[in-house]
Amino acid sequence: MMNIGRRGVHYLHTLNNVPKNLTEKGQSRVIEASLTLIRERAKLKGELVRALGGAKASSSLLGVPLGHNSSFLQGPAFAPPRIREAIWCGSTNSTTEEGKQLDDPRVLTDVGDVPVQELRDCGIDDDRLMNIISESVKLVMEEDPLRPLVLGGDHSISYPVVRAVSEKLGGPVDVLHLDAHPDIYDCFEGNKYSHASSFARIMEGGYARRLLQVGIRSITSEGREQGKRFGVEQYEMCKFSKDRPFLENLKLGEGVKGVYISIDVDCLDPAFAPGVSHIEPGGLSFRDVLNILHNLQADVVAADVVEFNPQRDTVDGMTAMVAAKLVRELTAKISK
């Protein structure tokens, strides 16, 4: 697992022996090629959806296989292909619980993955990598009616994705964040892009008006202080029975550009999703999550599913199916 993080460092050291102008030219070509691939795929899928007609909003999968900003295990980098495999594995049909058909491209398309490791192998640092992720999200959004449904990756990806959505729409969004952890440290272990700091970056940037964090059950004093600093609405599991009526009848997005949903798979109790890096007992049931999603009144403009770790998914791929089910139901929530 450590090899993933070390490869980028190894290649960077190798590049130190190459003239700077050659390195920069090479990096620019790789960045442009990466964005071109996403751009052309998004154009193709957007043209298809528009030709079929009748879709006001259509979910489009975008994978961001990034794991090196995890503070513990880097396995989430392997998640996007496993989630796709589970979505289409044939063990269930293509109908969501709300009756949407996933095999209809007006409901769901796929524009592939941001080539994170290839970019890091060229010595591209996290500042530029985050910008590339944001630009990739914007390329999807440019192809109306496509809306990005992002497959992580660790939770650090939510910052560049939410930033892109807010900038592209021209204003802040409301964010519904389901997680065992608030991920709002100012700078965790010296890494401003840590998966434990993504929502601090989002709130600092003014990309979210309201941030509701649900399922929290591992929070430090800094997490609570940061929550107060940014006006975050934190709903801890120890009070979930009291908060349930409110959380299962949410109405979000009035007066802003829409609603973004971020689901860390570890919001679920490990009985439902053991294949995560940070196993934290006492979480939400899968039906708790679906009740929150199904009853939510909102215009969902984008979403992500993050922190599924295939390397810990030892129970016959159960967590892959859980992540896929979350993607399926988010697809139904976005598409219309």
Side-chain angles (χ1 to χ4, degrees):
M1 287 183 288
M2 291 301 294
N3 287 338
I4 303 172
R6 288 173 178 164
R7 279 183 63 194
V9 175
H10 169 73
Y11 277 81
L12 183 58
H13 288 167
T14 302
L15 290 170
N16 286 337
N17 300 319
V18 179
K20 185 177 180 180
N21 66 321
L22 291 180
T23 300
E24 290 176 348
K25 287 180 181 178
Q27 291 172 341
S28 295
R29 289 197 301 269
V30 172
I31 291 171
E32 182 54 36
S34 301
L35 292 175
T36 297
L37 188 58
I38 298 295
R39 181 186 297 111
E40 294 306 317
R41 284 173 171 167
K43 283 183 178 179
L44 178 63
K45 300 305 171 67
E47 289 169 357
L48 173 61
V49 173
R50 290 190 295 271
L52 292 171
K56 295 181 180 178
S58 176
S59 299
S60 191
L61 301 181
L62 173 67
V64 184
L66 185 157
H68 66 273
N69 283 322
S70 173
S71 61
F72 183 42
L73 301 175
Q74 298 186 3
F78 301 107
R82 293 294 301 275
I83 296 173
R84 288 186 177 96
E85 179 184 5
I87 291 171
W88 304 111
C89 71
S91 74
T92 185
N93 60 51
S94 61
T95 306
T96 71
E97 291 195 9
E98 294 188 334
K100 299 288 180 66
Q101 299 293 326
L102 296 184
D103 53 4
D104 183 342
R106 292 170 296 184
V107 174
L108 181 64
T109 58
D110 192 337
V111 300
D113 292 350
V114 177
V116 171
Q117 193 58 51
E118 289 82 352
L119 291 162
R120 295 188 73 227
D121 284 349
C122 294
I124 290 167
D125 61 23
D126 261 9
D127 287 331
R128 285 194 291 171
L129 181 57
M130 294 296 164
N131 290 337
I132 294 164
I133 294 168
S134 290
E135 288 305 309
S136 298
V137 171
K138 290 178 181 179
L139 289 172
V140 175
M141 296 178 69
E142 285 176 5
E143 295 300 321
D144 187 64
L146 301 187
R147 294 185 176 184
L149 206 176
V150 180
L151 309 178
D154 67 46
H155 219 151
S156 67
I157 72 162
S158 292
Y159 163 59
V161 178
V162 173
R163 178 178 67 181
V165 171
S166 174
E167 289 178 348
K168 190 66 178 175
L169 294 177
V173 293
D174 285 347
V175 177
L176 175 60
H177 168 206
L178 283 75
D179 201 327
H181 318 88
D183 292 349
I184 202 164
Y185 284 96
D186 180 60
C187 186
F188 191 73
E189 296 181 342
N191 181 6
K192 68 179 181 178
Y193 292 128
S194 169
H195 70 159
S197 299
S198 50
F199 288 90
R201 304 288 83 79
I202 288 168
M203 299 307 288
E204 283 174 351
Y207 304 119
R209 179 190 63 175
R210 291 180 69 186
L211 171 59
L212 286 76
Q213 299 185 317
V214 181
I216 305 299
R217 56 196 186 277
S218 179
I219 183 170
T220 64
S221 58
E222 181 179 348
R224 290 194 175 92
E225 289 166 3
Q226 285 281 89
K228 291 177 182 177
R229 172 190 173 192
F230 293 118
V232 180
E233 301 166 53
Q234 295 175 331
Y235 298 94
E236 298 185 41
M237 283 305 301
C238 60
K239 300 177 181 177
F240 181 70
S241 58
K242 176 179 69 70
D243 295 330
R244 181 194 295 272
F246 170 73
L247 295 174
E248 291 186 351
N249 292 279
L250 290 173
K251 187 174 183 180
L252 300 175
E254 290 186 348
V256 289
K257 298 297 182 177
V259 173
Y260 185 97
I261 300 176
S262 180
I263 302 182
D264 184 323
V265 177
D266 72 24
C267 73
L268 293 159
D269 190 272
F272 299 92
V276 295
S277 298
H278 297 267
I279 293 172
E280 191 67 42
L284 296 161
S285 74
F286 195 82
R287 187 51 56 180
D288 290 334
V289 172
L290 288 193
N291 286 344
I292 292 170
L293 294 181
H294 288 165
N295 295 332
L296 172 66
Q297 298 180 55
D299 179 23
V300 181
V301 293
D304 66 52
V305 175
V306 299
E307 295 287 355
F308 163 47
N309 186 345
Q311 294 180 327
R312 303 194 90 183
D313 194 14
T314 57
V315 188
D316 295 326
M318 183 176 80
T319 311
M321 293 302 294
V322 167
K325 176 80 168 180
L326 291 171
V327 171
R328 293 160 66 94
E329 298 306 312
L330 283 170
T331 296
K333 200 70 187 176
I334 294 171
S335 301
K336 55 188 177 183

